[in-house]
Amino acid sequence: MSAKTASKKDQRYKPVTPEIVGELRRIVGERNVVIDEEKMEAYSHDETNAEEYGHMPEVVVLPTTTEQIAEIVKLANRELVPITPRGAGSGLSGGAIPTEGGILLTVERMNKMIELDVDNMVIVVEAGMVTNDLAQMVEEKKLFFAGYPMSLQSCYIGGNIAENAGGGKAVKYGVTGRYILGVELVTPTGDVLWLGGKLSKDVSGYDLKQLVVGSEGTLGIVTKAIIKLIGLPTASSDLLVLFKTPREAIDVVPTIMAKGIVPTSIEFMDQLSVQTSCAYLNESLPYEEAGAMLLLEVDGTNPDQVEADLIAIGELCEQHGAMEVYVAEDTTTKERIWSVRRNIAEAFKVYSPIQSLEDIVVPIASIPDVIPELERLSAEYGMKIPCYGHAGDGNLHATLVKDPDMDMKTWHKNEAACLRDLYALTTRLGGKISGEHGIGIKRKDYLKEVANPVELQLMEGIKRAWDPNNIMNPGKLFDLS
Amino acid sequence: MSAKTASKKDQRYKPVTPEIVGELRRIVGERNVVIDEEKMEAYSHDETNAEEYGHMPEVVVLPTTTEQIAEIVKLANRELVPITPRGAGSGLSGGAIPTEGGILLTVERMNKMIELDVDNMVIVVEAGMVTNDLAQMVEEKKLFFAGYPMSLQSCYIGGNIAENAGGGKAVKYGVTGRYILGVELVTPTGDVLWLGGKLSKDVSGYDLKQLVVGSEGTLGIVTKAIIKLIGLPTASSDLLVLFKTPREAIDVVPTIMAKGIVPTSIEFMDQLSVQTSCAYLNESLPYEEAGAMLLLEVDGTNPDQVEADLIAIGELCEQHGAMEVYVAEDTTTKERIWSVRRNIAEAFKVYSPIQSLEDIVVPIASIPDVIPELERLSAEYGMKIPCYGHAGDGNLHATLVKDPDMDMKTWHKNEAACLRDLYALTTRLGGKISGEHGIGIKRKDYLKEVANPVELQLMEGIKRAWDPNNIMNPGKLFDLS
């Protein structure tokens, strides 16, 4: 990995001087400041391509309290040094990359549980807690954090909040934001305040908490969160359903949901995704004939109800032209079919490590319109474009995969042109260019092309009002004009 | 009713001249402009006390298209005339009252259904549609709009969005905002744009749609909305459960929810509420011994599951000290017990028409701490304060009821002092002063006292950025400092 070294693009910002490093050491303690280049390298990229998007910070700080963060933010405002907040670095749009150098502020040493309040069915945690740790902690009390994303083994709850992360269970449970009842925020000017509370309803002024959720660290640093829990589902079952065409697969989705059945997951996989993943896993699903598959999960607390829902879904699929319906009630079969879904990205990485993992979102009924267009783009730009993802939400991981034989210059040119076409298509269908990964630096130029300019102006207005010096994660989502 | 006549409080604003009235007539047509005092009176108040909060507009306009609204807003900016947007006028915090005079803009003639899109499970409607009409329209297709409030017979969907209305089913289904996937907005400067879309997930920039929801018409006028529908529940059952004390009643709530059972409603009624309503209805619930009651509803698509949930809830209540558990499965019994809940406000109006209907929200486990404090306030200020409401959300309609013998001067003084104490208590318990009715003009001075000043500054920053002339529903939520 070779991240670009610190060269400030924006002339407003000042360099991090030895005096500033000294101040930071005073605030967080000597061992919580890193200036060694080699040690800082890990903080120069996220899960996007490091070559393309990486950028070195000038200093990394690892605060342990909210008060320290507030002091750092005030210092940054005084000295005009940009701050990039960072969670686990598992992001997919470059939101945690310090593109302007400056201070990289990681919350990794703020990972404590503050309170597990069973009576109010909430947990209060620091932003650096690994999402999976949170999930396990509450499971012991037979409670459930329903907002967790696919990457929960490594990601932090603070990052989930910053990106309003989605995941495989969002059809039934919604995304992260639904479970964030309150946040402790350090504002871009260094004030500390709580937004929301242990409350499911609140109309006492603008919903600033929900504005902060998904703002990619540009409106402040979330330091703690109050998270809503629900009862732990104790029963679940899965169905794998094969269809001749993507259209047939998708058409069944609203049919199921209109019956009042809300599956936990409705995952879609096109033929190319299934074939590649099966080949990689040496798995033998009868995919040859199937143009598309749906993987559905139902969960709940009553096994009879879960089974009744599953049977009803299976029947609806058969009535709507499914070729085969496989039920997976035991753990081994469940694992086998979910493994195909989970390994799609990995399987394509074996074929070619250079990819652009997308997460466009369209109205669910428009998913079938996307598939032939992807085939057209695939042919036009000489790359494979498998399509899979969260069909129940219209959120598709169309992924541009570089042909191993294509030279890098052509790839970059074709990737950009193909993304532009893909996003224009998405916009024409009434969709948006990101459903769960965010805009960050990877998509900000494209967002500018497809978004309504008034919408961008309204966003920029908020940013300017909250962050007059533009020091809080600048250059993410948009460049201030 | 005697609403105050137009006297602008803010010197920035200009009067509505005959020239401006002429311009408005040109924009919306002669018959969609009202300047007759008698006809305008109906637009001078909402469901708050007209004597106390009412204020006359200078002109009422009834636009029929989004384009007309945009033109009116541009005119208002040019002429520095304030605009107050209005739905059905069923609000409970004065949000639709033209406190600065100027233009009252009602969306009552924009009540068309644009599209019922069954494949995407959404309906697109104009803001002036009566919420109940919407609910009935989608019911024909076996679909359900789950966000509707108690006043759905009269309120408009636009008003529900402006206030982020709650209601009796929010425990299971959440509030209005969860179902608003997109809005067409006329911004405070007269631009028109769509925020969101037929999409359940979207992280392509700040969530401006959700910021507009609940902003009480201060950030623009919602003209159309894309509303998420779910499958119509076809089975429901109710339980009325009597407890010795409020604490016993409330303690059972998290116990139920932690089992993974999510009732549609969990309504709480204290002894005074039940007694007064029963006396009013000549109903004979065995309330004498009961210090509090819970009214629970369970719904779903599978009658067996509904019954299983109901039985489980009943058993949990009995294990937690319930005195009696009544099941209501037939329509007559259901109607009988819900009638007690619905008639509480009316019953107290018979006792005394002058009231302050509150909707504080606290962490659910803190509800029992509220009850003895209400008794203390009741004694201190010489008024009855029944408490009932949405226990599953911690949202309580503590209602200050004037003693018929108290003189108005004492009432006003005591009402203000009592509200101040009530809101301070709510804040101490980690709650907020409004869970579903909003701040409007009724609570803005109190909000200023209890809210974090930084939070108010952040709200004001957004308002200034979006509405530089402060012409869009000024003086609601807060006064710009």
Side-chain angles (χ1 to χ4, degrees):
Chain A
M1 309 258 177
S2 76
K4 291 160 205 156
T5 49
S7 63
K8 289 194 194 296
K9 298 169 191 167
D10 192 317
Q11 296 308 314
R12 266 173 305 192
Y13 300 123
K14 302 283 188 296
V16 173
T17 60
E19 289 70 31
I20 293 174
V21 173
E23 270 293 291
L24 291 170
R25 284 187 174 131
R26 187 191 59 73
I27 296 169
V28 297
E30 187 92 24
R31 37 184 240 116
N32 291 324
V33 175
V34 178
I35 50 164
D36 179 85
E37 287 268 327
E38 218 165 295
K39 286 186 186 149
M40 290 202 298
E41 199 276 338
Y43 298 97
S44 69
H45 57 86
D46 60 4
E47 289 295 316
T48 54
N49 187 315
E51 294 278 345
E52 195 167 349
Y53 300 109
H55 197 284
M56 284 293 280
E58 292 165 80
V59 60
V60 174
V61 286
L62 302 89
T64 52
T65 68
T66 302
E67 293 67 34
Q68 290 175 359
I69 295 182
E71 227 184 313
I72 296 165
V73 173
K74 282 181 182 151
L75 171 69
N77 272 281
R78 249 182 351 255
E79 302 289 346
L80 289 179
V81 171
I83 294 188
T84 304
R86 183 180 177 93
S90 56
L92 289 158
S93 52
I97 298 173
T99 42
E100 297 283 347
I103 300 168
L104 187 295
L105 188 155
T106 164
V107 294
E108 66 194 69
R109 293 196 179 161
M110 293 175 67
N111 56 4
K112 286 193 296 295
M113 195 261 280
I114 314 280
E115 184 192 10
L116 177 47
D117 179 349
V118 174
D119 288 343
N120 282 309
M121 295 183 73
V122 299
I123 186 170
V124 187
V125 298
E126 288 185 325
M129 175 168 281
V130 172
T131 309
N132 200 42
D133 292 349
L134 190 167
Q136 287 181 345
M137 219 170 264
V138 304
E139 208 172 308
E140 287 165 22
K141 301 278 179 188
K142 305 246 178 290
L143 293 170
F144 182 50
F145 168 53
Y148 64 80
M150 288 290 198
S151 61
L152 87 164
Q153 302 286 349
S154 56
C155 61
Y156 296 170
I157 189 67
N160 300 165
I161 294 169
E163 301 293 325
N164 196 11
K169 300 188 182 214
V171 182
K172 178 168 178 176
Y173 294 114
V175 296
T176 302
R178 188 188 290 179
Y179 299 93
I180 306 305
L181 300 184
V183 295
E184 184 188 64
L185 182 78
V186 178
T187 71
T189 51
D191 287 308
V192 178
L193 78 165
W194 272 98
L195 299 171
K198 294 178 179 176
L199 308 166
S200 337
K201 289 165 84 173
D202 173 13
V203 293
S204 305
Y206 301 159
D207 191 350
L208 301 185
K209 162 178 59 72
Q210 219 52 48
L211 178 66
V212 166
V213 172
S215 65
E216 304 191 3
T218 63
L219 296 179
I221 301 173
V222 170
T223 44
K224 297 189 186 85
I226 301 172
I227 293 160
K228 177 182 176 161
L229 305 172
I230 61 175
L232 186 68
T234 46
S236 76
S237 253
D238 299 82
L239 276 183
L240 182 70
V241 190
L242 279 57
F243 292 89
K244 278 223 176 67
T245 64
R247 185 164 296 275
E248 281 176 322
I250 295 305
D251 280 352
V252 83
V253 174
T255 312
I256 295 165
M257 298 186 63
K259 294 280 176 200
I261 305 168
V262 186
T264 315
S265 315
I266 308 179
E267 294 291 302
F268 169 85
M269 299 179 275
D270 71 0
Q271 197 176 38
L272 179 60
S273 302
V274 179
Q275 281 175 350
T276 309
S277 185
C278 282
Y280 170 72
L281 293 167
N282 204 17
E283 175 58 85
S284 58
L285 294 179
Y287 54 75
E288 303 295 344
E289 297 283 308
M293 293 190 189
L294 290 184
L295 174 51
L296 298 112
E297 183 167 291
V298 180
D299 73 4
T301 50
N302 178 346
D304 296 342
Q305 179 64 41
V306 167
E307 184 162 346
D309 283 351
L310 207 75
I311 290 168
I313 293 173
E315 284 173 2
L316 284 168
C317 287
E318 279 169 355
Q319 286 161 21
H320 284 75
M323 296 163 61
E324 295 279 353
V325 177
Y326 298 93
V327 181
E329 284 178 284
D330 63 289
T331 318
T332 318
T333 321
K334 271 187 206 174
E335 184 45 41
R336 205 181 129 206
I337 60 175
W338 273 98
S339 177
V340 175
R341 162 66 182 88
R342 271 200 307 269
N343 280 283
I344 298 171
E346 206 50 42
F348 279 100
K349 273 194 189 155
V350 171
Y351 167 74
S352 171
I354 295 173
Q355 311 185 351
S356 184
L357 174 53
E358 298 305 308
D359 69 313
I360 57 168
V361 58
V362 295
I364 50 172
S366 300
I367 297 178
D369 301 329
V370 176
I371 311 297
E373 289 294 306
L374 293 180
E375 285 166 15
R376 194 182 58 73
L377 292 174
S378 169
E380 183 169 348
Y381 294 110
M383 51 180 74
K384 293 195 179 192
I385 311 182
C387 184
Y388 58 98
H390 318 302
D393 311 307
N395 187 202
L396 293 175
H397 295 309
T399 305
L400 284 51
V401 183
K402 177 181 166 296
D403 187 311
D405 297 332
M406 186 181 275
D407 65 274
M408 282 307 287
K409 200 177 146 196
T410 311
W411 160 253
H412 281 307
K413 190 166 66 70
N414 286 13
E415 181 198 11
C418 184
L419 284 179
R420 192 156 277 125
D421 286 359
L422 177 65
Y423 294 151
L425 163 72
T426 305
T427 308
R428 270 201 310 280
L429 293 171
K432 300 278 181 156
I433 70 175
S434 178
E436 58 181 20
H437 295 166
I439 300 300
I441 49 174
K442 190 178 174 206
R443 298 187 180 91
K444 68 176 174 176
D445 292 340
Y446 301 104
L447 180 66
K448 203 171 171 182
E449 290 173 20
V450 297
N452 186 318
V454 176
E455 184 173 3
L456 285 173
Q457 278 166 29
L458 294 174
M459 289 185 205
E460 290 181 25
I462 297 170
K463 173 70 172 167
R464 278 180 222 280
W466 286 31
D467 185 10
N469 294 319
N470 196 25
I471 63 112
M472 189 55 74
N473 212 7
K476 309 300 159 66
L477 279 175
F478 44 72
D479 289 307
L480 287 180
S481 46
Chain B
M1 311 258 180
S2 76
K4 290 161 206 159
T5 49
S7 63
K8 290 193 193 298
K9 297 168 191 170
D10 191 317
Q11 297 308 314
R12 264 173 307 191
Y13 300 122
K14 301 284 186 300
V16 174
T17 59
E19 289 71 31
I20 293 173
V21 173
E23 270 294 289
L24 291 170
R25 285 187 173 133
R26 188 192 58 74
I27 296 169
V28 297
E30 188 91 23
R31 37 184 240 117
N32 291 323
V33 175
V34 177
I35 48 165
D36 178 85
E37 287 269 326
E38 217 165 296
K39 286 186 186 149
M40 290 202 298
E41 199 277 339
Y43 298 98
S44 69
H45 57 86
D46 61 4
E47 289 295 317
T48 55
N49 186 316
E51 294 278 345
E52 195 167 351
Y53 300 109
H55 197 285
M56 284 294 280
E58 292 165 80
V59 59
V60 174
V61 285
L62 304 90
T64 52
T65 68
T66 301
E67 293 67 33
Q68 289 175 359
I69 295 182
E71 227 183 312
I72 296 166
V73 172
K74 284 182 180 151
L75 171 69
N77 272 282
R78 254 189 339 261
E79 303 288 345
L80 290 179
V81 171
I83 294 187
T84 304
R86 183 180 177 94
S90 55
L92 288 157
S93 52
I97 296 173
T99 43
E100 297 284 348
I103 300 168
L104 186 297
L105 187 156
T106 165
V107 294
E108 65 193 72
R109 295 199 177 159
M110 293 175 66
N111 57 4
K112 285 193 296 295
M113 195 262 279
I114 314 278
E115 185 191 9
L116 177 47
D117 178 350
V118 175
D119 287 344
N120 282 307
M121 293 182 74
V122 299
I123 187 170
V124 187
V125 297
E126 289 185 324
M129 178 171 278
V130 172
T131 309
N132 200 41
D133 292 349
L134 191 167
Q136 289 182 342
M137 221 170 263
V138 304
E139 210 173 306
E140 287 166 20
K141 302 278 179 188
K142 304 241 177 293
L143 292 169
F144 182 51
F145 169 53
Y148 64 79
M150 289 288 198
S151 61
L152 87 165
Q153 301 287 351
S154 56
C155 61
Y156 295 171
I157 189 66
N160 299 165
I161 294 169
E163 301 292 325
N164 196 12
K169 300 187 182 216
V171 183
K172 177 168 179 178
Y173 293 114
V175 295
T176 302
R178 188 188 291 180
Y179 298 92
I180 306 305
L181 301 184
V183 294
E184 183 187 66
L185 183 77
V186 178
T187 71
T189 52
D191 287 309
V192 178
L193 79 164
W194 272 97
L195 299 171
K198 294 179 179 176
L199 308 166
S200 336
K201 291 166 84 174
D202 173 14
V203 293
S204 304
Y206 301 158
D207 191 350
L208 302 186
K209 163 178 59 73
Q210 218 53 48
L211 178 65
V212 166
V213 172
S215 65
E216 305 191 0
T218 63
L219 296 179
I221 301 172
V222 170
T223 43
K224 297 189 186 87
I226 300 172
I227 294 160
K228 179 181 173 161
L229 305 172
I230 61 175
L232 184 69
T234 45
S236 77
S237 253
D238 299 80
L239 276 182
L240 182 71
V241 190
L242 278 57
F243 293 88
K244 277 222 177 66
T245 64
R247 185 165 295 275
E248 282 177 320
I250 295 305
D251 280 353
V252 81
V253 174
T255 312
I256 295 166
M257 297 186 64
K259 294 278 176 203
I261 305 169
V262 185
T264 314
S265 313
I266 308 180
E267 294 290 304
F268 169 85
M269 299 177 276
D270 71 1
Q271 197 176 37
L272 179 60
S273 302
V274 178
Q275 281 174 350
T276 310
S277 186
C278 282
Y280 170 71
L281 293 168
N282 203 18
E283 174 59 85
S284 57
L285 295 178
Y287 54 74
E288 303 295 343
E289 297 284 307
M293 294 190 190
L294 289 184
L295 174 52
L296 298 112
E297 184 167 291
V298 180
D299 73 4
T301 50
N302 179 345
D304 295 342
Q305 179 64 41
V306 168
E307 184 160 350
D309 283 351
L310 207 74
I311 291 169
I313 293 172
E315 284 172 3
L316 284 167
C317 287
E318 279 168 357
Q319 285 161 23
H320 284 75
M323 297 163 59
E324 296 278 355
V325 177
Y326 298 93
V327 182
E329 286 179 284
D330 62 288
T331 319
T332 317
T333 321
K334 272 187 207 175
E335 184 46 39
R336 206 181 127 204
I337 61 176
W338 273 99
S339 176
V340 174
R341 162 65 182 89
R342 271 201 306 268
N343 280 284
I344 297 171
E346 204 51 40
F348 279 99
K349 273 195 188 155
V350 171
Y351 166 75
S352 170
I354 294 172
Q355 310 186 351
S356 185
L357 174 54
E358 297 305 306
D359 68 313
I360 57 167
V361 58
V362 296
I364 51 173
S366 300
I367 297 178
D369 300 329
V370 176
I371 311 296
E373 289 295 306
L374 293 181
E375 283 165 16
R376 194 183 57 73
L377 292 175
S378 169
E380 184 169 347
Y381 295 110
M383 50 180 74
K384 294 197 180 191
I385 312 182
C387 183
Y388 58 98
H390 318 301
D393 311 307
N395 187 202
L396 294 175
H397 295 308
T399 305
L400 284 51
V401 183
K402 178 181 165 297
D403 187 310
D405 297 333
M406 186 181 275
D407 66 273
M408 283 306 290
K409 201 177 148 195
T410 312
W411 160 253
H412 281 307
K413 189 166 67 70
N414 286 13
E415 180 197 13
C418 184
L419 285 179
R420 190 158 277 124
D421 286 0
L422 176 67
Y423 295 151
L425 163 73
T426 305
T427 308
R428 272 201 310 281
L429 293 172
K432 300 279 178 152
I433 69 175
S434 177
E436 57 181 22
H437 295 165
I439 300 301
I441 49 173
K442 189 178 174 206
R443 300 188 180 90
K444 68 176 175 177
D445 292 340
Y446 301 104
L447 180 67
K448 204 173 171 180
E449 290 174 20
V450 297
N452 186 318
V454 176
E455 184 174 2
L456 284 173
Q457 278 165 29
L458 294 174
M459 289 185 205
E460 290 181 24
I462 296 171
K463 173 68 173 169
R464 278 180 222 281
W466 286 31
D467 186 10
N469 294 319
N470 195 26
I471 62 113
M472 189 56 72
N473 213 8
K476 308 302 158 66
L477 279 174
F478 45 71
D479 289 307
L480 287 180
S481 46

